[in-house]
Amino acid sequence: MSNERTFIVEGQSLRSVMLQVWNIVSQGVAAGPVEVVARRPGKRRSLSQNAKLWPMLTDIARQVQWPVDGAMQELAPEDWKDILTAGVRKEQRVAQGIEGGFVMLGSRTSKMRKEEFAELIEFIYWFGSERGVQWGEPALRTYEQYREAAA
């Protein structure tokens, strides 16, 4: 039995789907706890969208410096994710640090809807293109796949 099963309930008898779920959970419980999640399909970003993000952020991290603490610095892809996500959301949250200073609270891309994530990808391409980023093969390949799927 695989570790994960997905059922889309649409125009089907709720009873028949629930019986399928019941049987799978009953079998799975023999091996340990089972998590059952109910949600609307297609609302969150996809794994393929997430895979597009990291080559792009890596290209930017290798080629663009950004002011941090008053000095231009190279940043890690994770830092660029926070900066660019805040840019597309047009909001920043700041918390007071435990021992002074401030902590910027980033948005969680894992909680983004597919449409929001697509907007983030487009924003990153705009940002990088404005700064002369030469996109590497992984970023270009995933961007072409993304563009074809969006058309």
Side-chain angles (χ1 to χ4, degrees):
M1 184 172 124
S2 82
N3 291 338
E4 186 173 312
R5 298 277 175 100
T6 301
F7 291 91
I8 306 281
V9 180
E10 180 179 21
Q12 300 171 6
S13 162
L14 181 59
R15 181 177 172 79
S16 69
V17 172
M18 293 306 291
L19 285 172
Q20 290 177 45
V21 172
W22 175 267
N23 289 331
I24 290 169
V25 170
S26 297
Q27 292 171 9
V29 167
V34 174
E35 178 181 25
V36 177
V37 178
R39 66 175 172 257
R40 301 267 180 225
K43 294 294 183 186
R44 298 276 183 218
R45 62 125 191 240
S46 67
L47 293 177
S48 64
Q49 283 181 311
N50 189 55
K52 291 169 185 45
L53 178 68
W54 293 102
M56 296 165 58
L57 294 172
T58 299
D59 285 343
I60 290 173
R62 290 179 180 155
Q63 300 174 50
V64 178
Q65 291 189 337
W66 199 251
V68 176
D69 295 330
M72 299 301 283
Q73 297 182 18
E74 292 180 356
L75 301 175
E78 294 82 6
D79 295 328
W80 278 111
K81 182 176 79 80
D82 290 340
I83 291 168
L84 292 162
T85 301
V88 79
R89 289 256 169 116
K90 297 177 180 56
E91 67 178 37
Q92 294 82 34
R93 295 174 48 222
V94 180
Q96 182 174 333
I98 300 296
E99 297 197 24
F102 296 97
V103 177
M104 300 297 288
L105 304 175
S107 297
R108 302 292 173 253
T109 57
S110 62
K111 298 187 184 301
M112 285 185 167
R113 296 186 327 270
K114 285 184 178 182
E115 298 81 17
E116 291 175 305
F117 207 87
E119 184 180 351
L120 174 62
I121 289 170
E122 288 293 329
F123 183 79
I124 292 170
Y125 272 109
W126 167 82
F127 177 87
S129 296
E130 288 288 311
R131 285 154 183 82
V133 169
Q134 299 295 307
W135 301 111
E137 179 61 31
L140 287 173
R141 185 174 51 250
T142 56
Y143 184 64
E144 289 305 318
Q145 292 168 352
Y146 166 78
R147 298 286 291 177
E148 289 172 13

